[in-house]
Amino acid sequence: MSEVPSDAELASSLEGGFISRHADVNGTRLHYVTGGRGRPLILLGGWPQTWWEFHKIMPPLAQQHQVIAVDLRGMGGSAKPASGYDKKTMAADIAALVRHLGHERADIAGHDIGGMVAYALAANHPARTRRIALLDIAHPDERFFNHSLLPRPGRHQTDGDIHAGPGRFLWWFAFNQVPGLPERLLAGRSRELIDWMCDYLIEDPASISDRDIYAHAYSTPDAIRAGNSWYRAFAQDIADEKTYGKVTAPILGLGGGENGHLLLQAVLPGKGTEVEVVLVPGSGHYIPEEQPEIVTAHLTRFFA
């Protein structure tokens, strides 16, 4: 693995006056990168990435917003406590950060795990949430218990090859649930996992060229344990979600490729009172990096 720039160096490399900071909120320490001026827009990333997954869309968004890209509890430069990885607690982290930064409420865009947190924020802290955008993900619900542990021919694989199948075999949902083992297997070898995940869930692998940044963030046993804890909390997330009513903040769902768009189309209309779902063409799962111009245009329009 090549030498990786610090968060401060990465932040300063972006147009828009971005800087790297930390905040002590809700009993934990969050790292965030902020720049631009205007109404606050919080960006929440997913696994196995960091705030850097938004680096292509942060400068243009900063022309109209104060952009705040956050490392979630357990991610990157943020603290990695022993507990608190259910999405309701992580949403409380972000609600506290919004107040810490001097805002009453904010717009929120979340990708992957960050999208789950964004939804939980809108459900539990409506006064802190103006609008939310969910990028290629929905909050965990009972459907998660139905994910197949075997790749289904014609759905997850073709002729025994899961890379050739039309669908996505979510084996890591189960792998990340196993306590202790992923930390021992992946410590110091996280680049292998990063490459596999990126190549499997992306339309154009060249769209994510800074993979060492993510590999470095998940290179230690503690970082792997913390990231996997987001998955190990899914049962609690599902139980919590059953208590939520419909989200009243407007929701935009941006879905990449076959799976993401169809999932959001099927799920989101029943989750909110004002929902729009849009296909991001030419994209797999990592849409902020694969199609930054399209994502920027939709977020700019939606949050205007």
Side-chain angles (χ1 to χ4, degrees), residues 108-169:
I108 316 289
H111 173 243
D112 191 78
I113 299 294
M116 301 176 186
V117 177
Y119 182 86
L121 180 68
N124 291 282
H125 305 274
R128 300 283 168 257
T129 313
R130 180 176 173 269
R131 288 173 167 247
I132 63 169
L134 308 181
L135 280 59
D136 213 56
I137 199 65
H139 191 280
D141 60 19
E142 287 281 351
R143 297 172 301 105
F144 276 44
F145 289 128
N146 298 325
H147 288 316
S148 175
L149 292 181
L150 294 176
R152 296 185 182 183
R155 179 178 174 187
H156 300 138
Q157 65 177 347
T158 301
D159 296 329
D161 182 2
I162 63 172
H163 289 273
R168 291 291 179 260
F169 173 45

Side-chain angles (χ1 to χ4, degrees), residues 175 178 180-190 192 221 224:
F175 177 73
V178 181
L181 183 61
E183 294 93 312
R184 295 197 297 271
L185 294 178
L186 295 173
R189 293 185 289 273
S190 56
E192 297 292 333
I224 296 163

Side-chain angles (χ1 to χ4, degrees), residues 183-202:
E183 294 93 312
R184 295 197 297 271
L185 294 178
L186 295 173
R189 293 185 289 273
S190 56
R191 179 60 192 262
E192 297 292 333
L193 175 66
I194 299 296
D195 282 340
W196 195 97
M197 295 298 301
C198 290
D199 293 342
Y200 185 57
L201 295 176
I202 205 167

Side-chain angles (χ1 to χ4, degrees), residues 166-231:
R168 291 291 179 260
F169 173 45
L170 305 177
W171 61 268
W172 59 93
F173 276 45
F175 177 73
N176 289 353
Q177 299 283 338
V178 181
L181 183 61
E183 294 93 312
R184 295 197 297 271
L185 294 178
L186 295 173
R189 293 185 289 273
S190 56
R191 179 60 192 262
E192 297 292 333
L193 175 66
I194 299 296
D195 282 340
W196 195 97
M197 295 298 301
C198 290
D199 293 342
Y200 185 57
L201 295 176
I202 205 167
E203 287 288 322
D204 178 9
S207 299
I208 303 181
S209 59
D210 302 325
R211 299 182 185 188
D212 274 347
I213 293 173
Y214 303 136
H216 177 75
Y218 294 89
S219 62
T220 67
D222 202 38
I224 296 163
R225 183 268 311 165
N228 288 359
S229 293
W230 302 327
Y231 289 79

